[in-house]
Amino acid sequence: MIIGYARVSTQDQNTALQLDALNASGCEQIFHEHITGKHRERPELLQCMRTLRSGDVLVVWKLDRLARSLKDLVEIIDELQKRGIGFKSLTESIDTTNSTGKLIFHIFGALAEFEHSLIVERTKAGLAAARARGKKGGRKPALSDSDIKKAAAMLSDPMITKAEVSKHFKVSRTTLNAALNRNGFKI
């Protein structure tokens, strides 16, 4: 079975061009998404993926109608291949039901992996450079050093509980305990 998938890219976009191309390519069923790609939840795509069976072919007008990123695209096509489902993109002339289309898609996969490696490498380099300039990464501590000293002083009074101290500083008991332990206060 040949199944099509169409999706708008903006709220005011018309999918008539996509639908015409999918119908002309012989699609027996078309799933039509009215949600833009920025939304993670795409119910029509989920239904389309559930409908596809081994031997079927998923057809899209253009690659960017199916996925929001290269990584997303590679994951979707990989899932289709594992399930024995072919894929065609009309605009880019990609057809994974033949060897040339499979080769092109493997190149896309390699590019996505390369892109991911570059991002990881740049992130690590940026963090190292920030550390070298004395910047400290991560979230700001919930309690300052003076707050921790005040909390320890408050807890030295047996009439004051950790629950009261954590409520006073607007933190959880777990956060209070961790801060006290990290600064050498054993209370």
Side-chain angles (χ1 to χ4, degrees):
M1 190 169 179
I2 300 173
I3 296 177
Y5 175 75
R7 180 180 59 80
V8 296
S9 62
T10 61
Q11 293 293 357
D12 58 343
Q13 184 184 6
N14 185 327
T15 55
L17 176 65
Q18 292 178 58
L19 296 173
D20 289 347
L22 292 172
N23 281 318
S25 71
C27 289
E28 301 162 58
Q29 184 176 3
I30 297 174
F31 291 87
H32 185 192
E33 198 82 70
H34 297 279
I35 298 174
T36 63
K38 68 180 179 181
H39 298 284
R40 286 190 85 69
E41 297 300 318
R42 293 177 282 169
E44 288 294 313
L45 179 59
L46 291 173
Q47 185 59 40
C48 177
M49 295 298 276
R50 283 189 211 114
T51 302
L52 290 162
R53 302 287 175 244
S54 181
D56 289 350
V57 177
L58 175 62
V59 181
V60 295
W61 176 66
K62 202 171 177 187
L63 289 174
D64 66 355
R65 300 300 81 213
L66 181 62
R68 296 179 339 267
S69 67
L70 184 58
K71 182 180 183 273
D72 189 28
L73 180 65
V74 170
E75 287 173 0
I76 291 170
I77 302 302
D78 189 46
E79 179 186 339
L80 293 173
Q81 286 182 338
K82 286 177 183 171
R83 293 174 50 197
I85 299 164
F87 172 75
K88 289 184 183 180
S89 172
L90 302 175
T91 305
E92 291 87 1
S93 300
I94 293 176
D95 182 352
T96 65
T97 62
N98 64 45
S99 56
T100 305
K102 285 180 185 174
L103 171 66
I104 289 170
F105 212 79
H106 284 297
I107 292 169
F108 277 173
L111 288 172
E113 195 172 316
F114 176 68
E115 177 186 34
H116 175 72
S117 297
L118 286 176
I119 291 168
V120 168
E121 192 177 301
R122 277 188 245 127
T123 301
K124 286 180 180 177
L127 289 171
R131 272 190 230 98
R133 289 190 310 275
K135 300 284 183 189
K136 200 173 177 184
R139 195 170 155 184
K140 280 181 84 173
L143 295 170
S144 67
D145 288 341
S146 67
D147 287 342
I148 295 167
K149 288 177 187 168
K150 289 175 190 171
M154 290 170 74
L155 289 169
S156 65
D157 181 349
M159 299 302 291
I160 298 177
T161 66
K162 282 188 180 180
E164 291 171 325
V165 174
S166 41
K167 186 175 182 180
H168 173 78
F169 287 103
K170 297 181 176 101
V171 296
S172 70
R173 281 191 53 181
T174 306
T175 300
L176 176 65
N177 287 332
L180 290 168
N181 289 334
R182 198 172 35 254
N183 286 280
F185 295 102
K186 304 292 182 209
I187 297 172

